[in-house]
Amino acid sequence: SFPVGRDALTDTEFAQVIASALKVEFGSTRNGAKMIMKWTGVSGRTAKNWLNGTNSPSGVHLILLAEEALDYGVSLPPE
């Protein structure tokens, strides 16, 4: 969940927020990592690091994930 009442996230918090979102869409399975690899061109280790919150995607990779998710039919929450 997003920390409420603050203007910024630490790098670790950001990685955890992204990992949570990725797990909702892909699960933490090997197939999830494979889909992330296919969509972004990253290595398996990188995809797994994103899924477990060790690291987070760069801006370019985050945009690739968002574009592919929309093309794939992932629904965005209502505003």
Side-chain angles (χ1 to χ4, degrees), residues 54-70:
T54 303
N55 295 317
S56 60
S58 66
V60 170
H61 289 118
L62 196 55
I63 290 169
L64 288 172
L65 285 167
E67 286 177 339
E68 289 291 339
L70 290 173

Side-chain angles (χ1 to χ4, degrees), residues 29-77:
T29 65
R30 180 179 164 117
N31 288 339
K34 284 184 177 184
M35 184 67 78
I36 291 169
M37 291 166 54
K38 179 180 175 184
W39 285 4
T40 62
V42 299
S43 70
R45 176 179 284 191
T46 296
K48 289 176 187 175
N49 283 340
W50 293 351
L51 281 167
N52 68 28
T54 303
N55 295 317
S56 60
S58 66
V60 170
H61 289 118
L62 196 55
I63 290 169
L64 288 172
L65 285 167
E67 286 177 339
E68 289 291 339
L70 290 173
D71 289 345
Y72 191 70
V74 172
S75 60
L76 297 174

Side-chain angles (χ1 to χ4, degrees), residues 17-36:
V17 168
I18 297 299
S20 294
L22 291 173
K23 286 178 187 174
V24 166
E25 294 305 326
F26 299 107
S28 55
T29 65
R30 180 179 164 117
N31 288 339
K34 284 184 177 184
M35 184 67 78
I36 291 169

Side-chain angles (χ1 to χ4, degrees), residues 2-16:
F2 195 83
V4 178
R6 294 195 349 228
D7 293 333
L9 296 174
T10 66
D11 289 342
T12 301
E13 290 170 333
F14 180 73
Q16 290 299 316

